[in-house]
Amino acid sequence: MNKHLLLSLLFCLGSFSTFAQTQLWFNGAVKAHPADFTYPKGISGDYNNLPIFNLAIGADTRLKKSLWYFNYALSYNYVESRLNMGTGFILTDLGLVKTNENAYYVESINLIGVKAGFSPLYRINRKGRSISLPFGVQGYIPIFSKGFTQIGDTRLGMRSIYTGDDFKYAVFYGIYFRPTYQFKLTENQRSPWSFGVYTEGDLLILNEGATNPKWTAGGGLEVRYRLK
């Protein structure tokens, strides 16, 4: 990269972070797990879906002196489904195995994605309480996906799921809406720390799936730190 271009970019970023009001935040949530969310390949049945666990880290930057903030974040979802395959013959790495115990097929996937959007911020009073309404777009790709077969209490070896041609079956994109109530736990209004309680709704489209769109919703807690 050209030296002068790099210096100009660093100057712009430094000026932006100096004059813009920015909040860093980290949150965690539990969400509903819709049917066929990970679109299992090769093994069909009535899956028992565990709740989706979500973690995100991001920042909100105020647009000049308006009520609007630009939101951007890195988001992580852990998704797991379990299928009771009953008794009989099951396919393992060793071939067909006969069992008199319940056999479970478990599919787990770790999704990493990005979010970007906007939110108006409404002040409730002067005690550090406010309501924000973030909304925007998001996308997810699988960075690590494993599944295993379990017979009774015995778990067989893990295997990769969304690799090769199957990678496309775990790619999601869509929109989100996250109403958030923010507050401070201290009477010191100059403290850069604040906390939040929020609900979130997601409309996600699977790149190649059986039924679209996928709807999921949930709620969680967050911690915020104001840079300026």
Side-chain angles (χ1 to χ4, degrees), residues 143-218:
I143 63 164
F144 177 83
S145 57
K146 292 288 186 178
F148 59 85
T149 301
Q150 182 173 325
I151 305 173
D153 295 329
T154 304
R155 180 182 299 183
L156 303 182
M158 299 284 289
R159 68 181 186 87
S160 297
I161 300 175
Y162 296 104
T163 58
D165 292 338
D166 289 340
F167 180 85
K168 59 189 177 185
Y169 289 103
V171 176
F172 289 83
Y173 58 91
I175 59 177
Y176 72 94
F177 179 55
R178 192 180 72 245
T180 306
Y181 170 65
Q182 301 173 27
F183 57 93
K184 292 182 181 293
L185 294 180
T186 175
E187 295 182 356
N188 179 13
Q189 298 305 305
R190 294 185 177 180
S191 172
W193 294 96
S194 61
F195 301 86
V197 179
Y198 68 94
T199 61
E200 181 171 347
D202 301 274
L203 186 154
L204 293 171
I205 296 175
L206 185 59
N207 186 36
E208 293 197 23
T211 304
N212 279 314
K214 313 290 185 184
W215 293 91
T216 181

Side-chain angles (χ1 to χ4, degrees), residues 5 44 50 58 81 118 127 144 149 162 167 212:
L5 179 61
S44 61
L50 297 183
S81 301
F118 293 91
K127 295 183 179 181
F144 177 83
T149 301
Y162 296 104
F167 180 85
N212 279 314

